[in-house]
Amino acid sequence: QAQLVESGGGSVQPGGSLRLSCAVSGFSLNKYCMGWFRQAPGKEREGVAAIDSDGTITYADSVKGRFTISRDNAKNTLHLQMNSLKPEDTAMYYCAADVNPVFIVEVPFIEYWGQGTQVTVSS
C-alpha cells in the first residue's frame, strides 16, 4: 500500500530556511509525478513545486528562486528546500503523487497524499 510521510516542518523567522522531506513507500518515486502543495487556513490547497517522472520541474511563481524541489531515487524520498521564507509561506505542506503531472490533475483527484507538515514563518 502506498504511503507518503512528510517531515521537516517547524517554526522559523522570516528569511530563514527549512528542508521538507517526503518518504515514499509502496511505489517507486521516480515512476510517478511528485509535488508539494500547501494550504493556509481559509484558503484552497495550492501547488508549490512539482517534479515529473521525466525530471521536468515546475514552481509556483510565488516561490521561484527561493524553493528547490529534488528527489533521491535511492532513498525513495522527495525534498523541498525552502530558503528566504516569508510569513505568507505559512501553511500546512503536503506531498503528493500521481501518474500524471500533479499540477495538471485537479487537486481532489490526485492519487496519493501525505498527512502534511506544518510550516510557520513568524517573527
Side-chain angles (χ1 to χ4, degrees):
Q1 186 171 351
Q3 190 173 20
L4 284 63
V5 180
E6 301 96 335
S7 62
S11 295
V12 64
Q13 292 187 340
S17 298
L18 285 172
R19 187 180 191 228
L20 305 184
S21 296
C22 173
V24 175
S25 60
F27 63 89
S28 294
L29 179 148
N30 63 343
K31 296 187 184 300
Y32 270 68
C33 299
M34 304 294 299
W36 289 95
F37 288 72
R38 66 187 181 188
Q39 188 167 19
K43 294 189 176 181
E44 293 187 352
R45 193 169 296 190
E46 63 176 1
V48 174
I51 180 167
D52 295 346
S53 54
D54 65 359
T56 301
I57 290 176
T58 307
Y59 294 102
D61 287 343
S62 59
V63 307
K64 280 181 182 176
R66 301 188 298 122
F67 290 11
T68 303
I69 189 171
S70 63
R71 64 186 182 201
D72 184 335
N73 293 334
K75 295 183 178 180
N76 224 33
T77 301
L78 183 73
H79 297 289
L80 184 69
Q81 178 66 42
M82 305 187 296
N83 298 328
S84 302
L85 282 162
K86 304 175 181 180
E88 51 263 43
D89 294 318
T90 295
M92 185 72 78
Y93 282 70
Y94 298 91
C95 177
D98 198 281
V99 293
N100 297 304
V102 294
F103 277 11
I104 293 177
V105 180
E106 291 186 32
V107 167
F109 299 106
I110 291 176
E111 188 170 3
Y112 299 120
W113 290 97
Q115 292 301 305
T117 186
Q118 178 68 38
V119 171
T120 302
V121 184
S122 174
S123 55

